Amino acid sequence: MSARSDPALEVLLLPFVQGALAWPQRGGALFLRAREGWPLHQRAWPGLVAEQSYKPEADALQRSGIEVNASHDGGARHALVLALPPRQREEARALLAHALARCAPGGRVVACAANDEGAKSAQADLARIAGPVASLSKHHCRVFWTAPLDAPADPDLARQWREADAPRPVVAGPGGLRFLSRPGVFAWDRIDAASALLAERLPQDLAGRAADLGAGWGYLGHALLTRCPGIVALDLYEAERRALELAERNLAGFAARVELGFRWHDVAAGLPERYDVVVSNPPFHAQGRAARPELGRRFIAVAAQALRPGGRLWLVANRHLPYEAELAAGFASVRAVAERDGFKVIEAVKEGGR
């Protein structure tokens, strides 16, 4: 059980703890974007099933004994649907509309968000598609819930919001390429400047079996396979399943030439394979806004462990991030290749190579 502070999770369950709402005795409860934390273990929550597409959170929930689905399981409906909407507005709207679709007749939707992460907007959005909602506030968070529902108050708008989460060609790449993306994944509507810089600098002589750590919707993997004909296999590791599904579609054109693997995986846990090449634009945030430079340091350590002797890591990072110690510990040679727009590209080579 996690003891970390999670005010939104605590406040989400507050109406049930205080008795303002009754937990359903039948019909089950579905928790969308569930997170592990002590509020889930302060009492029994009969029939609770979680959905979480972010691998570290899904693993934490399973370790605590909670049943987890990685993604939407189709038509199953529940007497109660809980949700923790994300910050990104379109993604949050899609989640609330999906919550309504998963709510059984006579059931309720209950959602919570931090005040500085769009609580007021999320409450207004739920009211637009579900009708009047009640709410309470605590710990700078707001929990809000519907009346018992038989159908959305505005079914057309709810459908539009659900459909907005569908993969669609929104990102324009070099040479007129169009990549599929969706709201909420990292750099969902653009090619981020760091990845673009690394893609430009990848040398054409990279060869063998490769891995992309934190692959997102697949831009770096696509660039690697386009520029480097010597790559014979590529595994894409990504913690967010919603992004990995996009990567699989965006790289489908290479499947006839290269062995492709799409791994829903927490890179921080280590890799199961060995590689000749690793590319990465490592995250320095998890799901929150706080900087997490230890994530990037862990990605570097994992890359060093996974590379064969002489293997090469090509990395891009914010220029100010302190990765030098991890690079020096894991690699025989490290060189700065380029700097631009506040980012740095680094090549690091494992001992036993050139």
Side-chain angles (χ1 to χ4, degrees), residues 5-314:
S5 175
D6 192 338
L9 176 60
E10 181 181 353
V11 175
L12 176 70
L13 296 171
L14 197 60
F16 305 99
V17 173
Q18 293 184 343
L21 293 176
W23 191 264
Q25 298 303 304
R26 292 184 297 177
L30 175 66
F31 188 178
L32 303 177
R33 300 294 168 83
R35 297 196 292 261
E36 164 58 4
W38 68 262
L40 287 177
H41 305 279
Q42 62 187 313
R43 51 170 279 189
W45 308 105
L48 179 65
V49 177
E51 280 189 6
Q52 176 55 262
S53 59
Y54 183 61
K55 184 65 169 171
E57 292 288 0
D59 288 346
L61 287 160
Q62 288 185 318
R63 286 193 299 268
S64 75
I66 294 173
E67 181 181 347
V68 181
N69 293 323
S71 57
H72 303 330
D73 65 3
R77 304 177 74 182
H78 303 261
L80 172 66
V81 181
L82 305 169
L84 291 172
R87 292 180 63 210
Q88 208 282 335
R89 187 75 179 274
E90 288 182 76
E91 185 187 7
R93 284 176 164 175
L95 183 71
L96 293 172
H98 181 65
L100 259 66
R102 302 291 295 279
C103 189
R108 295 182 190 268
V109 172
V110 182
C112 183
N115 292 339
D116 62 356
E117 298 208 349
K120 187 175 181 180
S121 296
Q123 179 177 339
D125 284 339
L126 181 59
R128 286 182 67 185
I129 57 174
V133 299
S135 69
L136 63 84
S137 297
K138 190 175 182 180
H139 300 321
H140 306 290
C141 297
R142 182 179 302 194
V143 58
F144 40 96
W145 61 90
T146 68
L149 295 169
D150 288 322
D154 190 334
D156 289 338
L157 184 60
R159 175 184 50 78
Q160 291 173 25
W161 287 357
R162 287 199 312 274
E163 292 175 352
D165 187 50
R168 58 191 190 272
V170 294
V171 181
L177 287 171
R178 301 288 290 183
F179 294 97
L180 294 174
S181 189
R182 69 201 309 179
V185 302
F186 173 69
W188 80 275
D189 58 353
R190 68 193 186 281
I191 297 169
D192 72 284
S195 294
L197 178 60
L198 179 54
E200 291 172 12
R201 298 292 177 153
L202 290 174
Q204 295 183 351
D205 67 343
L206 294 175
R209 300 186 66 86
D212 181 355
L213 308 188
W217 49 259
Y219 176 70
L220 270 181
H222 193 284
L224 179 69
L225 295 178
T226 300
R227 293 175 64 88
C228 305
I231 298 295
V232 298
L234 173 63
D235 286 334
L236 292 93
Y237 290 88
E238 172 55 45
E240 177 52 65
R241 184 181 284 276
R242 298 173 70 251
L244 191 65
E245 292 168 353
L246 296 166
E248 188 165 2
R249 296 176 65 175
N250 284 327
L251 272 65
F254 296 99
R257 175 170 70 84
V258 179
E259 179 187 337
L260 296 174
F262 299 91
R263 309 289 185 94
W264 185 48
H265 187 80
D266 180 6
V267 169
L271 304 186
E273 308 288 345
R274 303 292 298 279
Y275 297 98
D276 304 295
V277 175
V278 171
V279 298
S280 186
N281 177 5
F284 57 95
H285 299 87
Q287 287 194 310
R289 290 187 291 177
R292 295 276 307 278
E294 71 274 13
L295 287 174
R297 292 196 290 266
R298 180 59 183 157
F299 270 51
I300 292 167
V302 168
Q305 294 164 4
L307 280 166
R308 297 186 176 102
R312 300 158 73 182
L313 167 66
W314 279 77

